[in-house]
Amino acid sequence: MTWSVNVPRRDLLRRLGVGAAALPFLGNLPSLAAAPSGPKRRLVIVFSPDGVVRKNFWPAPGPLDAAALPAILQPLAPWSDRMLTLQGVNDKVKGDGDRHMRGIGCLLTGIELFPGNIQGGGNTPAGWASGLSIDQEIKNHLQKRPETATRFGALEFGVLVPNRADPWTRMVYAGPNKPVTPIDDPYQMFRKLYGQALDRGHLGSVLDEVRDDLAKVAAELSAADRRILEEHASLVRSFENELAAHRETVGHAVPVPEPGVVEQNDQMPKISRMQIELVVSALAADFARVVTLQYTNSVGQAHMKWLGIDEGQHTLSHEPNSNEAAQEKLTKINAWYAGEIAQLAQRLAETPEPGGSGSLLDHTTILWTNELGEGKSHSLDDIPWVLVGGGLGFTTGRALQFPGVPHNRLLLALAHAMGHEGLVRFGNPDYCDAGPLTGLA
């Protein structure tokens, strides 16, 4: 018997005598899902720190020309027709904390930090953010509806994010005073996604353990669902091979840095690519429709020796803008982040949309941002906002210029585009009077 109508997953598993370990492979199968509510919409928010070199980042307003993109955005040239840049969207949130602390803590929350005893630069101590972040707001909305609820709702990935918890290292908040720690170990994230206690020294295969159960389920599925199941299994197998190949080097020891500094980061490029593969796998499996990917932290001090740069990123960002050598290095650093965004876009574009048309990128928007507009000045104006993909229905291929509007309005626009249209204010209500940012669609 082939199931062609929606069937509760657990009912099918019980009937076939299939273990719960197979559940992660079945969440994206249309015949086993709740009644669909139209094409899926997904949001991936990517953070990189310390501001950008403005002259090498912002394109001229108007249609985006791949050949004319500034140096930092050049790795994204293949996606210029799927890209949208937003200049003049500022973080206007004031209050306690230095600008690095407020930059990351208010970036997705749009609200002030609590007073606290964590000392920032310029004698400005602060605590955690006083509200939840927009990714969690959207997640909570989606999880209330059976047709958009997923296994995790949201997933928080990291790349070399310090284990220490303070206002410089956390951007996701489940609520006031509730920072969420991203998972920056690919092994740990794989365990979370697929429920296996993997030992790096003896890596077993998730697929080997559930092969017989998946075969039982496949025999009951339509041809279309069998294809989706096979594609998901292929993604998992590919990543298992990556884990096995890199188990000696990628399972990086947690560094013990001085405050704000991560020096042992030679594996950063490899960890980044592994996390990107897990993001793609998680979205393809419909484990979550909201994802964050955080590279290091505010005051991030990555030493990108693979680019021929020995100095830490934050140290370089404090050099005068007249220091051309430092500006060139910062440009290369930010172009590297852009290259990782491009890799994520490429992998999403290569992955078919399960049960739908086009690719994952057609139904996913990547939002790349930063806690500062510029490192040296610590400006919270012109916060970088680069969107890639078609998940939110925005009109891409454009560089937009806004007149210094509060970024709360962009956060509202993201929520509305993800179906949370009843949200009329987010973060500090003083910055929401004009409603969601317009002109994006």
Side-chain angles (χ1 to χ4, degrees):
M1 176 180 178
T2 298
W3 293 91
S4 58
V5 295
N6 294 346
V7 177
R9 288 188 291 271
R10 292 189 183 275
D11 288 353
L12 176 61
L13 296 188
R14 277 196 296 269
R15 189 178 73 78
L16 297 177
V18 171
L23 271 174
F25 294 87
L26 309 180
N28 62 341
L29 302 182
S31 64
L32 302 182
S37 60
K40 295 173 184 174
R41 288 177 275 188
R42 307 181 185 88
L43 176 64
V44 179
I45 301 174
V46 183
F47 169 89
S48 62
D50 296 331
V52 297
V53 179
R54 285 171 166 166
K55 65 183 180 182
N56 294 333
F57 181 84
W58 291 110
L64 285 172
D65 179 355
L69 286 178
I72 290 173
L73 297 184
Q74 269 300 313
L76 289 165
W79 309 104
S80 60
D81 62 334
R82 311 291 303 276
M83 185 164 68
L84 185 64
T85 65
L86 312 177
Q87 188 173 6
V89 180
N90 304 342
D91 181 350
K92 293 181 177 289
V93 181
K94 308 297 183 183
D96 295 294
D98 66 29
R99 290 191 178 185
H100 281 288
M101 297 164 82
R102 283 190 282 123
I104 192 170
C106 308
L107 183 67
L108 301 183
T109 65
I111 199 166
E112 291 77 11
L113 305 181
F114 279 122
N117 59 3
I118 301 175
Q119 185 64 49
N123 298 314
T124 51
W128 301 115
S130 58
L132 84 171
S133 51
I134 194 65
D135 57 300
Q136 300 297 298
E137 173 71 34
I138 295 170
K139 177 201 79 170
N140 292 343
H141 173 76
L142 297 178
Q143 293 297 88
K144 293 175 182 177
R145 306 168 63 201
E147 65 270 26
T148 56
T150 56
R151 184 179 173 203
F152 296 107
L155 288 165
E156 297 78 34
F157 291 77
V159 177
L160 259 70
V161 178
N163 273 353
R164 73 171 198 280
D166 59 42
W168 291 284
T169 65
R170 301 295 182 260
M171 72 171 183
V172 174
Y173 285 80
N177 261 337
K178 295 181 179 179
V180 177
T181 301
I183 296 175
D184 73 342
D185 182 337
Y187 293 90
Q188 184 180 348
M189 181 58 80
F190 192 80
R191 284 196 298 270
K192 176 171 181 166
L193 297 181
Y194 294 101
Q196 300 294 313
L198 297 181
D199 182 341
R200 292 179 186 143
H202 181 68
L203 184 68
S205 170
V206 171
L207 289 173
D208 289 344
E209 294 188 18
V210 299
R211 180 189 294 115
D212 292 343
D213 283 348
L214 292 182
K216 292 179 185 177
V217 174
E220 301 284 334
L221 298 176
S222 66
D225 274 5
R226 282 199 300 272
R227 186 184 69 253
I228 294 171
L229 185 62
E230 289 166 1
E231 289 170 351
H232 186 186
S234 178
L235 279 171
V236 173
R237 178 71 75 188
S238 175
F239 188 76
E240 284 182 328
N241 292 337
E242 281 288 304
L243 282 173
H246 298 136
R247 63 179 180 267
E248 296 296 330
T249 58
V250 177
H252 64 287
V254 175
V256 184
E258 63 189 45
V261 179
V262 176
E263 294 181 340
Q264 306 300 322
N265 61 186
D266 290 350
Q267 301 302 325
M268 187 175 177
K270 198 172 291 183
I271 296 168
S272 174
R273 293 301 171 94
M274 294 180 75
Q275 293 287 60
I276 285 171
E277 288 303 309
L278 280 174
V279 169
V280 174
S281 181
L283 294 179
D286 205 24
F287 287 159
R289 297 188 187 176
V290 183
V291 168
T292 54
L293 174 57
Q294 178 181 333
Y295 284 89
T296 72
N297 56 286
S298 179
V299 198
Q301 191 71 312
H303 292 245
M304 297 195 179
K305 297 179 181 179
W306 58 93
L307 301 179
I309 299 172
D310 292 327
E311 301 95 330
Q313 180 178 347
H314 181 245
T315 299
L316 286 168
S317 74
H318 275 255
E319 288 294 314
N321 291 345
S322 58
N323 184 336
E324 289 299 331
Q327 294 282 285
E328 181 180 351
K329 290 176 180 178
L330 287 168
T331 296
K332 290 174 67 175
I333 287 170
N334 281 285
W336 182 82
Y337 290 121
E340 298 307 285
I341 305 296
Q343 172 69 12
L344 174 57
Q346 179 67 40
R347 291 294 296 116
L348 291 171
E350 293 170 349
T351 305
E353 172 69 15
S357 62
S359 70
L360 282 181
L361 187 63
D362 295 326
H363 301 272
T364 303
T365 291
I366 305 165
L367 172 62
W368 177 29
T369 187
N370 199 299
E371 91 270 26
L372 297 176
E374 181 185 65
K376 175 58 178 174
S377 64
H378 291 75
S379 174
L380 297 177
D381 291 342
D382 287 338
I383 295 293
W385 308 99
V386 177
L387 298 93
V388 181
L392 300 186
F394 297 156
T395 304
T396 55
R398 301 182 295 158
L400 300 184
Q401 177 79 54
F402 294 91
V405 301
H407 84 292
N408 300 65
R409 296 185 59 197
L410 173 59
L411 300 181
L412 280 173
L414 296 175
H416 282 218
M418 285 292 289
H420 193 2
E421 296 178 355
L423 188 67
V424 296
R425 288 179 174 80
F426 187 77
N428 186 324
D430 292 344
Y431 302 125
C432 302
D433 287 345
L437 193 62
T438 58
L440 302 181

